Every structure is written in structure tokens, then in C-alpha cells.
Amino acid sequence: MSLSILAIFHRTSHGLRSGALDQREVMLLSFGALFVAVSAAIALVAIDPVTRGFGSVPVMQSTGDPMVRQQLLAFWTEHGLLRRAATFLLVDGLVFAPAWGLFLLALLCRLYWLVSDDGSPPTVAALLPLPWKLIAAVPALGVLAKWIDDGLSLYALHLARGSIVALPDWLHASIKVVTCGALVLFGLAVLIALWLFAKWFFTPMESPGTGEAVRMSHRFDRARLRASIADMLWRSKYAVIVLVFFGLLVLGMDQTRDALVRQIIDLKYYPGKALLGMAITLVGLTLLARASWLWPRLVLRLRSPDMQSPVSGAEVFAKWWCRTLGLVPFIVVDLVIAQSIHNVAPDSPALGWFAAAQATIVVLALIFLYRVASRIPKHGRHIGYYERSADEHTAREDLGVLPGLIAWGAPLLFLFARWAGLAEWTPPLALAVIECGLAAWAGMLGWVAYESRRYAIPYVLLAALIVGGLSFFGLSEAHRVRTWTSDIAAFTPASLRHLFLLTVVLAALSLSVAWHWSRRTASLMGRAITGVLALTAVIALLWHHDRAPNTLYRIAYPTGNTSCTARNNLDVAMTAWLNRIHDDLALRVDRGEAVDPVPVYLVSAEGGGIRSAYWTASVLHRLRYRMDERFDLHTFSLAGVSGGALGVAVFRACEEAHTSADDVGRCIRRFGETDLWTQLLGGLLFEDALANIVPTFFCKSPGCGVFGRSYWFEGAMESVVPLMAQGLASRPGARDRTPHLFFNVTTAETGERAIESDVAIDCLHFPGARDLLRMMDADLRLSTAAHNSARFPYTNPVGAIYGPNCSDELCAVETPLSAGRPRLCARAQDGGYFDDSATLSTIDILRALRRCLSEDGCGIDPENGGLSAQSRTQLRAWVRPVMIAIRNEARFVASPRDKDAPPCVASDDPHRLPEFPKQAAPLRLFASVSSAPLTLFNTREAHTHRADATLQRDAQALWQDLKIIPIEPRLPCGKTIEWIADAAMRRFDLLADDTLYPSGWLLSAQALDGIERQADRIVP
């Protein structure tokens, strides 16, 4: 290998100096080396023995701290990862570094040729400030330094395998020096290439004896080339937007990685289904790659009205620009599979399937390159790549049936991928749905780009104006929040499949219109007629499917409307709860039992998507059935936001549906295994897009029961946990049963809290919060109420809150309700990752508890159900209020007393206290510009810390009022009940250190198992 690399280096540099090297050879060498380098880099990502950011080989080579290097070697030795680290170094030294060096050398050769190409022999070296031999030596020396670096690192691995306690100091220093040297040399080569490119692209060179006319012509041609490249980039903007969106969904969200883990690991259990799913995914990937190549190419071929002959270099850029866009999907998916490998155990048999999937994608990418580079044009005529065709039909004449296969194959496979997962023919195919859906969008936007250039009409802008107009005037609203009614049953798997059949009908109508509009003979009038007919058919389908609820359960208040549901305010609910606890404890005292201080709980669950939902439900399940058999009686509130609200709702529904702990656990597990993600994405890419241009103002139910991603999200939950379809405040015994539920929602217009609860919300007890049920004057399903809190931006739809009570004057419960026609009041949204409104609500509840236990009480007369003075005195001696915070990750700074904490407490409750401020390095680079967005982002996280710290301080203040002395942690800890009440606040953190816990809406089996293991450690 090394001899062949050196031979190619020698041939390349000698060919440049002698003028014998062909430009085509240089280009092929550069692109071939780049392809190998990118493939090797992706393989290195997969091989690198890194676990959750720890253990990377590049970190071991580049660190300046010998202790860190020693720790990494010990970590690899302990976990059996030395072989993977050695493989990484071999691939890095024998494949990646030589390929990257060859690419840089070939690129420098090509740029040198371009700079020298002014009519003089290519051996003119006076144009460069440095001798060419020195320039060519830079990447060669970089490869040599990388070989030395990897050799020294392999020697360090050999010493680690031999159980050497510490590496020699010279080895530490040598690894660091040669690593930095290789980085400097490769970086210098990149800088030289950039300098040469700028010299050629922006300042074209002419010989001193060239005439003025020739010099002006050269400068004009170079300006035309720059304008042509800018024009090509602008024409392909839709393809670039689609690929950026694809990268954000696949690489920017860890959800896709966990979905791939679930899809590929299922090969072990359901090989037939999993192989079918992988086949669909790979076909979808090929369609997206072909679409990303095809549609920009066709648009680039269209001739501008003021077209001149293409300038030299434009054809080459157009050809390779389209091919590069086509390669991007392969690179993205191969990279996400490489990342997913780190989320699988090193000894898992699924690693082979991951490697096979990666290799298959590389083969598909090579086939793609071969097909587009060696394709024989139809009728033997090649049209060209840029400014070569008068219309869109001529532009695709040499492509045969390929445009039709890509245009119609993508939406059909999109529907099949969604149905396959829904019918359980395959594992969830989230990646395939993304690929096929975006391939279909690439085709549609490509056709729009055709038409826009043909008629010089901004169709995309017109479509945006139509959608905006329908939305502004309230003619189209597919995401109205569903109210609870007794006559509409929960979704079932069969009803979800029925809903998908309606999607297929809508897709057939859309495809038929697209087919007619894309015909060459279709006139403007014909397109208008078919569009109106299809719109009429869609409206008729919606009208037929729409169903008006028979009974609307309205919310009643002490002075409000008459209905079948009434809610207490916070003081009344709190007093009733304390009375029940007092009666229970008094009965035990009367029987002669010793009553130790009994812990009573207020629970807060923060957000974080599906991981937070399953973590919250799992912890609550264990607290209820393992910690305290009277947990429901002793807990006043379960407050949640985003995924935490979802977990609270699932726990409550499963608990009410089953009586045994095992059945409740199985119910929660079924929810965790549910695919909330694939159909949500499918609805985003099709149904919601169609809903934006279809009037739905006549619908009696949201979206006429067809449109809206909410049906897929809420319906999937109801299909596995049917009691998620019961009312939040109308469920049997909701008024008096504890724990009370508090789901926190963010209103998009103000960013303030709106709370959904079976307790009446008012500004006296919950400052700055609005009662969402009161606004709507209706109850909500548990699934809908939880979804309103978990409407994560963009992936989940923003909910439209319609009701008769939009006024801010409804701050007090005594304000009479309006009986007017519902209107749009606000839009419900998840406040984002750092929204900790659940903690704010728990703070409000804690302050109400402190007031009710005080000597003055809640202000409710004992004759009307209030606490007597004697009862309050006894409760202050009998109860021990504990705040339970369920968090989806440990992101707070550790307390200084961690090192002194007992082992059981240190492992289960790491004392990560938010009152300890964080330290960060001050801004130095472009501080005046970067400080504003960084401050806005960090302020939200800081507010989360502050809310958590405030809750703890208020809880400690209540303990001081009650004269409760903190108990020293018991050793051994034993049952959780023996240490849960040792402090005023207990935090249960999901530590994301052993596997991937995605923040989306789909969990793999290993993620579920990891969450359950942590829950078992916390509540044994």
C-alpha cells in the first residue's frame, strides 16, 4: 500500500513538472481519492470505540494531558475495546490518511494547472510564490506524520494490553507532537488549496505581453463563470433545501439513530420483517439520491432568455454539482448508521448487520456514480449540463423513463412504507418514510422550478400567499384541539388503518392531479379544471367522514354553567386531601399504632420527549408499587410538561385500567414500544401539507377527522392504552381522587403557562397561568391534554385552542363563563427543551400546602370542610412533605458534598444541585455578535436551574416551619421508603451514559431496557 501511494505521489508531481499529466487524470484522481477518504472517515466513525462521547481515538492522540490518555487506554482495556482501537488506527493509517493526502495533492495539481493555464506551458512556476516541490511535499509530509502518529499509538495500545501501569513520558510527548504536526500539515495544504482557488477564481492571471483586449476578455469570462456558478446554486435551491431538511431529520435528531437500532436489531427476532424493512429503506435512499441528482440537473439544463454560449468550466461544475447532490443522501445515511453502531453493545450480533448495511450503501453509491457517469443517452444524443435546452420536455429527452420512475415511485413507496409499519409487516420505518417523502417533495419542487423558469412566475410565493390567506381568515384549521366527548371511542389499530386508507385516497387524488398537470398537452384551463375537481372530491370526502359529537361535556364552576363536571379550586382540593390524610393517620393513632412522620409528595416531571415520558411512567410505577403502598393517598399532585406530562398521563391511565403492579408495568411497556414517530413524520410530509390548501372551516370535528398529525400521535397512544381516551376532569372520581394532574402548556403568542388540570386554575394560586379547560369550556382527553403539553416545535403540530372564554379577565374562578360561539383563543405549543413550567406549578402548589398547614390555614371554615386548628397542629407533627423531581438527564453541577455521600445515595441520587452556579470561559471571538443568541439560549437553561433551586429552597423553608430535622442517610439504604424522606427534595435523574435515549417519539428495545434498569436501581 505504501509503495503504491508513494508511486502515485511521484507520478503526480513529476507529471505536473513535465507537463505529461492529463487534466482528466488529475480530476479522476482527486474525486476517487475523495470518495475513498469520505468512505474511510465514515468507517472510522463506526469503528471508533467511543461511548456517549468518551473513548475516542483522536482524543487519545491529541490530548495534552497524559492522565487522560492513560484513562482512555484503561477504559478500552477494561471494556475489551483495544482491538477496535487498533482497527481504527490501521484504517486511519492505511486508507484514510493516504486517500486524504492524495486528494489534497491532486487538488493542488488541478489548481496549479488552472492558475498556470494562460497560454504558457504548464511548467511555468513563476506564478507561485513557493516552489512547487515544496507545495507538493506538504500533503506527503502530512501522510508521513500520520503514519508515525498511528504507529506510536499502536505501540501504546500494545503496552496497554501488556498491563503497563503508565506509558513512558517520551511516548506521551511523541504522540502529541506528531498528531499536531499531521494536523498542521494537512491544514496547511488546505489553506494553500484555498489560496490557489481564490487566485484563479477571483484574479485571473494573464501574461505580461497579452493585449488589453485579450486581458479584458479573460476577466469577462471569469466573471461569467462566477455568475454561472451563482446561477446554478440558485436554480438548485429546492434540492439543497430538501437535503438540508433531510440532514436535520437524520443527523440533527438522535431519534433516527435509535429508530435504526430498533429496525436493525429486530433482524435477530423477526428476520423476514426486518429484511423487508431494510430493503424498503435502501430503495427509498436510492430514490432520494436519484431525485437529488435528477431535478437540479434538469433545471440547470433550461436555457435563459438572454442566454449566451456557456463559459468554459460551467459544464464541468454543473455535472459534478448535481452528482455531489446525489451522493449526499448516501453519505448522510452511512454516517448515521456509523453513529448508531456506538449505541449497540460491542458483543451484539447486530454489529454485523450494521456493517452489512454500511457496505451496501457504499456499493449503492458506487453504482449511482457509475450509472450517472457512464449512462448512454437516448438516441445517442447528449444534451449537456447547463443552458442547453429550450424547455423542460427537451431537457429530459435523453433520460428515458427515469424521471417518471423517480417522480411516481417515491410517493408510492412513501405510502407503502407507512402501511408496512402500521400493518406490522416491518419494524417502524421512520428513515424510509423520511427518504421517500422528501424524494417526492424534491420531484414536486423540481417541477415547480421548471414551471417558474418557463413562465417567470414565482409559484412557490403564490402558494405561500394562498396558504397564509386561508390560515389568516380561519378557512383552514386542521389542528384544532379535540374536546372530550363520551360518544367518540378510543382509537384502535383497526381505526388507525382505516384512517390510513383515507390518506391513500387523498394521495391518489393528488397524484392524479399531478399527472395531468405534468402532461405536455395540459393547458392552463385544463389544469384549473382538474384542480377544482380534485379539491371538490377532497372536500366531499371530508364532509362524508366528518362527525359532530353528540354531547359536549362542559366544565362547571361554583358560579359557572351547569354541567356534569365540577372542579375544586386549589385550596379546596388541598384541604380535602389533607383531611383524608389526617383521618387516616388519626385512625391509626386510635388503634394504638405508632405514627412516624409520614412522607407526603408533590411530584414534578420535566420534558425530554419519549425518554422523559417512559422514564416518568417507570419511576412513578415503582414509587407507587414498591416504595409506598399508599402513594396515591400521600401524593397530592403530578405536574408534568412535554414528555413528563405524557408519562404522567400514561401512568394514570395504566393504573386505572389494571389492578396489579405487573399488569400496570406491562401496560407502560406497551406504551414504550409504541411507534409515535413514523406516522407523525408521514403526516407532516403529506396530510398536513395538503390540509394547508384545503378549506376546513365547515368541519364539525378537527380536520373533519382526517387531517392533522394529532390523530396519529394521540391515536397511537389510545390504541395501546385505551383509557388515554377518558376525560381529564370528567373521569369517574376525578374531583376527589389524588394525585391531581397538572399538565403545563406554553401559549405561542405570549410564552406563558396554560395549565390543564382536574383542579380549577386561577391567578391567585398560579400567577401568570391560564386555565386551558376554562378557556375552552370543555374537557379534554388524557391523550389530547398530554399532547398539548408535548407539542414539540415543528415535529408535532401547534394546537389551535378554540373556546368562548378568551378574555384575560378569567383570572378568577368566580368570573362567569361565556356561552358564546367558540373562537380561536391561542395556540398551544411545547415550550422546548428547557421549559420547566412543571416545576413552576409545583412551586405554586407547595406554597398553597405551606399556607394550608400554617396556623391561619387556607381560609376555609371547618364547617365547610376546612381543617380545624387541632387537625393542622397534628398534621404538622405527622407529615413530612417531600418534593420529587423526575428529570430526564443530570445536567446540573454536582454538589461539593458528593464525595462524602454514601455509596447508595451517590449512585441513586447524585446530588446534582441547581443552586450551585455554573462556570464557563468568557466569550472572546466576535463577542459583540455571538453574545446575543448565546445569551438568549443560555437564559432559558438558567431559568430551569432557578426554578429547580427555588422549589428546593421553598421545600426546605417548609421543613423549617414544621421544625423537621433532616435525617442522616441510612446505611445500607434498604427500601426507598427509608431514605426518600431524608431530605425535602429528591431528584430522580435519567443518566444518559450507558445507551442512547432519544428525545423524539420512538424507543428501541435496548433503550427501554436501559431506562428500566436505571429505574430499578433508584427504586429497588
Side-chain angles (χ1 to χ4, degrees):
M1 171 66 75
S2 61
L3 291 178
S4 62
I5 296 295
L6 291 176
I8 294 176
F9 266 97
H10 176 72
R11 168 175 166 73
T12 303
S13 58
H14 175 73
L16 179 64
R17 285 185 283 107
S18 63
L21 193 64
D22 182 72
Q23 295 189 41
R24 177 178 174 82
E25 288 182 322
V26 176
M27 287 190 62
L28 291 178
L29 178 64
S30 61
F31 281 106
L34 180 61
F35 186 87
V36 174
V38 171
S39 301
I42 294 174
L44 290 177
V45 172
I47 299 170
D48 196 6
V50 60
T51 302
R52 302 298 299 175
F54 181 78
S56 174
V57 173
V59 172
M60 186 275 289
Q61 293 179 309
S62 60
T63 182
D65 188 350
M67 291 300 298
V68 173
R69 185 177 291 111
Q70 203 72 45
Q71 290 173 0
L72 289 172
L73 292 172
F75 175 79
W76 293 337
T77 304
E78 180 183 354
H79 293 84
L81 298 173
L82 283 177
R83 181 174 297 178
R84 287 181 64 171
T87 305
F88 180 99
L89 293 170
L90 291 174
V91 174
D92 184 40
L94 298 179
V95 182
F96 174 72
W100 182 243
L102 271 177
F103 166 70
L104 290 176
L105 180 62
L107 181 63
L108 290 171
C109 291
R110 177 61 179 164
L111 292 172
Y112 178 89
W113 192 289
L114 290 173
V115 171
S116 305
D117 189 13
D118 63 340
S120 302
T123 55
V124 176
L127 300 173
L128 299 176
L130 296 175
W132 169 249
K133 289 185 178 180
L134 181 58
I135 294 177
V138 171
L141 290 175
V143 173
L144 181 61
K146 197 60 184 162
W147 283 346
I148 297 174
D149 182 21
D150 291 337
L152 291 174
S153 301
L154 283 171
Y155 181 62
L157 294 183
H158 173 73
L159 294 180
R161 186 179 60 179
S163 301
I164 297 296
V165 177
L167 297 180
D169 292 338
W170 68 266
L171 188 56
H172 283 296
S174 300
I175 292 176
K176 179 182 178 182
V177 168
V178 293
T179 300
C180 295
L183 292 175
V184 169
L185 288 168
F186 282 139
L188 181 60
V190 172
L191 290 176
I192 294 174
L194 292 174
W195 178 80
L196 287 173
F197 174 77
K199 191 175 183 66
W200 165 76
F201 194 68
F202 295 102
T203 57
M205 306 300 295
E206 294 97 10
S207 295
T210 305
E212 181 66 22
V214 176
R215 286 199 299 270
M216 293 302 296
S217 176
H218 285 177
R219 293 182 182 278
F220 180 70
D221 287 345
R222 195 57 50 83
R224 285 183 58 205
L225 177 60
R226 290 194 292 268
S228 298
I229 292 177
D231 177 61
M232 285 184 268
L233 296 178
W234 176 252
R235 292 194 193 188
S236 54
K237 58 183 177 295
Y238 295 132
V240 173
I241 290 173
V242 167
L243 289 177
V244 168
F245 192 53
F246 178 68
L248 291 175
L249 285 175
V250 176
L251 290 177
M253 301 186 66
D254 53 11
Q255 180 63 74
T256 306
R257 287 158 53 196
D258 196 61
L260 273 174
V261 170
R262 177 167 176 174
Q263 181 177 345
I264 293 180
I265 286 184
D266 277 350
L267 282 165
K268 177 181 177 182
Y269 305 103
Y270 308 103
K273 294 181 178 181
L275 287 174
L276 175 60
M278 284 305 301
I280 295 173
T281 302
L282 294 176
V283 173
L285 175 61
T286 304
L287 284 174
L288 179 59
R290 285 281 186 166
S292 302
W293 163 79
L294 175 69
W295 303 116
R297 178 176 179 178
L298 297 181
V299 176
L300 294 187
R301 282 181 166 183
L302 294 180
R303 188 180 304 158
S304 302
D306 57 346
M307 177 262 180
Q308 302 178 19
S309 59
V311 67
S312 175
E315 280 281 296
V316 175
F317 182 87
K319 174 172 63 176
W320 284 103
W321 171 245
C322 295
R323 293 176 182 178
T324 302
L325 292 178
L327 285 174
V328 167
F330 293 113
I331 296 173
V332 169
V333 175
D334 221 10
L335 184 58
V336 77
I337 290 178
Q339 292 176 336
S340 302
I341 290 177
H342 298 300
N343 307 125
V344 181
D347 57 347
S348 172
L351 288 178
W353 292 107
F354 276 105
Q358 273 196 300
T360 303
I361 291 174
V362 173
V363 171
L364 290 176
L366 289 172
I367 293 174
F368 165 78
L369 271 181
Y370 173 77
R371 292 292 299 168
V372 300
S374 62
R375 186 181 50 81
I376 300 176
K378 186 180 180 181
H379 307 305
R381 184 173 68 87
H382 179 66
I383 295 176
Y385 296 98
Y386 182 59
E387 294 276 12
R388 297 293 186 177
S389 176
D391 59 76
E392 73 275 14
H393 300 289
T394 307
R396 60 187 181 190
E397 278 186 351
D398 66 332
L399 298 175
V401 298
L402 187 61
L405 291 177
I406 297 174
W408 305 110
L412 294 177
L413 190 62
F414 170 76
L415 294 173
F416 181 73
R418 291 180 63 182
W419 174 259
L422 193 62
E424 297 184 350
W425 294 352
T426 63
L429 301 180
L431 180 57
V433 168
I434 295 173
E435 294 166 344
C436 301
L438 291 181
W441 271 100
M444 188 197 74
L445 292 173
W447 181 80
V448 169
Y450 278 170
E451 297 296 299
S452 296
R453 292 198 66 82
R454 180 180 180 185
Y455 297 108
I457 299 175
Y459 287 107
V460 173
L461 179 59
L462 291 178
L465 291 175
I466 293 173
V467 171
L470 290 174
S471 176
F472 181 79
F473 292 105
L475 301 177
S476 178
E477 184 60 80
H479 300 303
R480 193 169 80 239
V481 173
R482 294 191 300 164
T483 56
W484 181 80
T485 57
S486 60
D487 58 307
I488 298 180
F491 276 95
T492 63
S495 59
L496 289 177
R497 289 192 287 269
H498 171 74
L499 183 62
F500 185 78
L501 292 179
L502 298 176
T503 296
V504 173
V505 174
L506 294 174
L509 291 171
S510 303
L511 290 176
S512 62
V513 172
W515 172 79
H516 180 78
W517 284 15
S518 63
R519 296 177 62 197
R520 182 180 304 191
T521 57
S523 63
L524 183 61
M525 181 59 69
R527 291 178 178 178
I529 292 174
T530 55
V532 171
L533 290 176
L535 183 61
T536 303
V538 171
I539 292 176
L541 176 66
L542 296 177
W543 194 295
H544 173 73
H545 188 268
D546 191 24
R547 178 184 177 187
N550 295 329
T551 305
L552 179 63
Y553 275 50
R554 309 183 73 185
I555 301 299
Y557 296 89
T559 59
N561 298 321
T562 301
S563 69
C564 57
T565 302
R567 297 186 298 168
N568 295 322
N569 65 22
L570 183 59
D571 283 343
V572 174
M574 180 73 70
T575 301
W577 173 63
L578 291 174
N579 269 321
R580 288 195 296 273
I581 292 178
H582 176 269
D583 293 344
D584 178 68
L585 295 177
L587 181 61
R588 293 166 60 183
V589 171
D590 291 342
R591 290 201 301 260
E593 299 180 14
V595 178
D596 293 330
V598 174
V600 294
Y601 316 106
L602 306 181
V603 180
S604 173
E606 73 175 15
I610 189 64
R611 70 180 177 202
S612 179
Y614 194 69
W615 173 244
T616 298
S618 299
V619 170
L620 289 176
H621 170 242
R622 285 156 177 78
L623 293 178
R624 164 66 176 85
Y625 292 99
R626 296 183 184 179
M627 184 195 72
D628 190 346
E629 63 182 6
R630 301 188 181 186
F631 179 78
D632 284 350
L633 171 63
H634 292 166
T635 304
F636 176 77
S637 62
L638 300 177
V641 64
S642 189
L646 214 63
V648 167
V650 169
F651 167 71
R652 170 53 58 84
C654 289
E655 187 186 29
E656 292 188 350
H658 304 283
T659 56
S660 70
D662 291 340
D663 289 340
V664 173
R666 282 189 286 268
C667 175
I668 294 174
R669 178 77 182 201
R670 285 196 302 271
F671 161 75
E673 294 171 346
T674 304
D675 178 16
L676 304 176
W677 182 238
T678 304
Q679 300 301 333
L680 187 68
L681 287 175
L684 170 66
L685 293 173
F686 176 60
E687 288 100 315
D688 275 19
L690 185 61
N692 286 324
I693 60 174
V694 176
T696 55
F697 61 92
F698 57 86
C699 293
K700 300 179 181 65
S701 58
C704 292
V706 178
F707 284 143
R709 306 197 299 281
S710 299
Y711 286 115
W712 289 115
F713 192 80
E714 299 166 18
M717 289 188 287
E718 294 175 6
S719 67
V720 293
V721 187
L723 281 187
M724 289 287 284
Q726 68 177 329
L728 170 62
S730 302
R731 68 187 193 279
R735 178 174 179 175
D736 299 318
R737 177 175 178 178
T738 56
H740 293 289
L741 307 182
F742 295 83
F743 298 146
N744 294 266
V745 182
T746 301
T747 54
E749 293 80 4
T750 64
E752 294 178 329
R753 279 183 299 165
I755 302 177
E756 308 160 318
S757 176
D758 46 16
V759 173
I761 306 300
D762 58 79
C763 296
L764 175 63
H765 298 94
F766 300 91
R770 306 174 74 181
D771 191 336
L772 194 143
L773 270 63
R774 186 172 173 83
M775 291 169 61
M776 301 182 67
D777 192 23
D779 197 9
L780 300 175
R781 296 180 177 217
L782 272 179
S783 61
T784 303
H787 185 205
N788 286 341
S789 181
R791 292 180 181 270
F792 194 79
Y794 300 114
T795 59
N796 294 72
V798 57
I801 302 172
Y802 277 76
N805 303 299
C806 300
S807 174
D808 291 335
E809 296 178 358
L810 292 174
C811 202
V813 173
E814 291 76 14
T815 304
L817 293 178
S818 171
R821 186 173 181 269
R823 61 188 186 277
L824 181 62
C825 294
R827 296 192 182 272
Q829 186 79 79
D830 185 339
Y833 193 70
F834 297 118
D835 178 17
D836 205 15
S837 54
T839 302
L840 294 177
S841 296
T842 304
I843 292 172
D844 295 333
I845 297 169
L846 171 60
R847 290 171 178 173
L849 173 62
R850 184 177 182 182
R851 187 175 62 254
C852 289
L853 289 177
S854 67
E855 294 182 357
D856 296 332
C858 295
I860 301 177
D861 191 277
E863 296 181 358
N864 296 324
L867 287 168
S868 65
Q870 180 182 2
S871 298
R872 291 196 298 273
T873 301
Q874 291 174 330
L875 282 173
R876 287 197 295 270
W878 287 345
V879 300
R880 184 184 294 268
V882 178
M883 306 300 108
I884 296 179
I886 303 176
R887 306 185 304 193
N888 78 87
E889 63 179 14
R891 60 168 176 258
F892 297 114
V893 177
S895 164
R897 63 189 178 91
D898 271 356
K899 62 181 184 297
D900 301 323
C904 57
V905 178
S907 62
D908 294 339
D909 186 5
H911 295 293
R912 297 180 182 270
L913 304 181
E915 59 265 31
F916 288 90
K918 295 172 62 177
Q919 293 292 331
L923 288 175
R924 298 186 184 276
L925 183 63
F926 304 117
S928 59
V929 177
S930 61
S931 60
L934 187 63
T935 302
L936 291 174
F937 178 81
N938 287 334
T939 298
R940 302 189 66 204
E941 181 178 6
H943 286 178
T944 299
H945 287 237
R946 181 179 177 183
D948 202 285
T950 301
L951 177 61
Q952 173 157 332
R953 292 308 183 201
D954 284 1
Q956 291 172 343
L958 177 57
W959 274 38
Q960 292 176 358
D961 291 348
L962 300 179
K963 297 180 176 56
I964 298 175
I965 301 175
I967 304 173
E968 290 296 325
R970 296 176 174 85
L971 285 175
C973 293
K975 296 180 180 179
T976 306
I977 189 62
E978 296 176 353
W979 60 266
I980 190 69
D982 294 345
M985 185 169 181
R986 284 296 179 187
R987 297 179 177 88
F988 298 93
D989 293 344
L990 175 63
L991 304 179
D993 57 357
D994 53 351
T995 188
L996 174 67
Y997 302 114
S999 57
W1001 300 115
L1002 179 66
L1003 284 176
S1004 64
Q1006 71 173 23
L1008 294 170
D1009 294 339
I1011 290 174
E1012 291 179 0
R1013 282 195 303 271
Q1014 292 200 42
D1016 287 335
R1017 287 199 302 267
I1018 290 177
V1019 190

